[in-house]
Structure formats: structure tokens, C-alpha cells
Amino acid sequence: MNEQQTRAQQFRSLHVPGEPLVLVNAWDAVSARIVAAAGARAVATTSAGVAWSRGAPDGDALTRETAVDVIHRVAAAVPLPVTADIESGYGDTPDEVAGTVTAVLAAGAVGVNIEDARYDAGPPLRPVDEQCARLAAARAAADRADIPLYVNARVDTFLCGVGGVPETVARAEAYLAAGADGVFVPGTVDPETIAALVAALPAPLNVLVGPGAPAVAELARLGVARISLGSTVFGAAYAVVRRAATEALDAGTYDALAGGLDHGTLNALMRD
């Protein structure tokens, strides 16, 4: 078994209901190393943060090549399993999604998120059969590479306001049958809803958190297996940029910079 296969197996083993894997999402090599140094068991990318930091909006606007380049840099920067948020797969067809997964595996990742939201003029969610074909293509690409890739199927029913628990569960079950390993349901942190999803789904549940969400211990009690901070870390970091810029340009002072990581600390993080 090679190193990537070992990391893939390790990453799979971290998805335990009631003992959730906490992912503080990164968007470049230095944020990945900061997360790893804090004691993370794995590193995830945030597709929104990656897109914004590369000059594109979130929502399938980034090119596959740019996204994969970031994934490669993150995977090379940390000695941990890396899972990549690849939006809806950076491709219009299942074959193109398979091509993305092949490239992501070559970049060193051992997990992917693939969402069922769409960003064209049609309905907010892809038809179930279409999304199943995309997930099946992702699984087949991983099988060809002989990497036990963890495919996390993101169900955007709550984010898009389309259906509640029954629609979410129906989609999730279809996605699992198509080859997904876990289910990611962003858009709700309501404990009753989460408990209902945990009870209904025959796979690890991933939730998206931020300020005001239940604490890790409470989500663990509910049976959650994976907790993602998503793009909120990126947003918090760049809120400092806005505060510092506003303060320096308006008041001529620099207090917003207090508490920042110093040059030596960051430079040391980036030395191999």
C-alpha cells in the first residue's frame, strides 16, 4: 500500500458518528500548515475561499486547473489526509467530473466534496439521476486509480430552500447508492433536524458550522461524524483586512493588526 492509499484509509477511519472529525477549511499552503500545526487530524479545502483568493466568485466559476493547482499545494504542504471541495466537479458531464477526480487524486487528495447545486438559469438543484451519474463517475475514476477516495455527497436542499428532511434523505440515499461514502448537508444546524438526519441516513453525516452553531460536543451527542467550518475561516481572516484597511485609511492607526501572526512564525511554518 502506498502513502496516498494509506492516507485515504486513514481519512475514512476518521468518520465516526459521535466522534466527529473537525475540519477547519484551508485555502492555500500557509492556512493548511496553520491548521495542521493546531493539531488537526486532516485538512479540507474551502472551494469558496479558493475561488475568492484566486480572483473568481464561488459557484462553478473557477477553472479545474486553478482548483487542482491549489489542492496540489495544500496536499504537498501537510503530512495529513487532504480532502478537496470541488464544487459540482468542474465539468458539465460525468466524464468531465471523472477527469476532475483523476486530477485531484494526482494532486494528492484522498477525499472530495461534490455538490448537487447548480448555478445556471435552471432549478437550484440538479436532477437526482444526473447527480447520481456524476457521483458514479467520480467513484469509477477513483477505482481506476486504486485509491479508496472518500466521496462526500453534498445535498444542498437546505441551502437552496428546496425540500426538508424527506427530500434530503431521498437524495442522500440515491447518492450513496451511486457510490458516495458520506453525506454533507449544509444550511441547517437545528439540533432536531440534525438528529432526524442522523437517524435516517445510513452513512456518516457532515454539517457546516459557524458562529451560533451548536458546539462540537453537542453535535457529537447528536451523532454527527464530520464538522466543517467551510468558508467562515476565510471570511474571518479577510474581515481583518477590511478592518485594517478602514482604520489605516480613515483614522491613520493600526490597532486592527494586533494579535496577528508575526513574520518569523509564518516563515518558520513554510520551511520544510
Side-chain angles (χ1 to χ4, degrees), residues 51-133:
W52 294 331
S53 68
R54 296 306 185 275
D58 188 26
D60 282 349
L62 198 66
T63 66
R64 175 199 289 170
E65 292 73 21
T66 300
V68 170
D69 177 68
V70 174
I71 294 162
H72 170 73
R73 292 172 186 273
V74 168
V78 294
L80 296 171
V82 170
T83 182
D85 188 334
I86 59 171
E87 303 191 47
S88 68
Y90 302 119
D92 293 331
T93 67
D95 283 347
E96 289 174 338
V97 173
T100 296
V101 168
T102 298
V104 166
L105 289 168
V110 296
V112 292
N113 289 349
I114 303 177
E115 65 193 54
D116 62 0
R118 57 192 296 174
Y119 298 93
D120 55 21
L125 299 180
R126 293 183 186 275
V128 172
D129 57 349
E130 179 181 317
Q131 185 65 5
C132 285

Side-chain angles (χ1 to χ4, degrees), residues 25-29 31-32 44-46 49-50 53-54 70 74 233-235 237-238:
N25 299 69
W27 58 93
D28 60 9
S31 59
T45 64
T46 158
V50 169
S53 68
R54 296 306 185 275
V70 174
V74 168
V233 181
F234 182 100
Y238 280 81

Side-chain angles (χ1 to χ4, degrees), residues 1 3-15 21 41-42 79-81 110 148:
M1 186 177 292
E3 183 177 356
Q4 189 176 15
Q5 290 170 324
T6 299
R7 287 188 184 181
Q9 294 287 9
Q10 177 189 355
F11 186 63
R12 283 178 166 275
S13 73
L14 297 175
H15 293 77
L21 169 65
R41 295 184 290 167
L80 296 171
V110 296

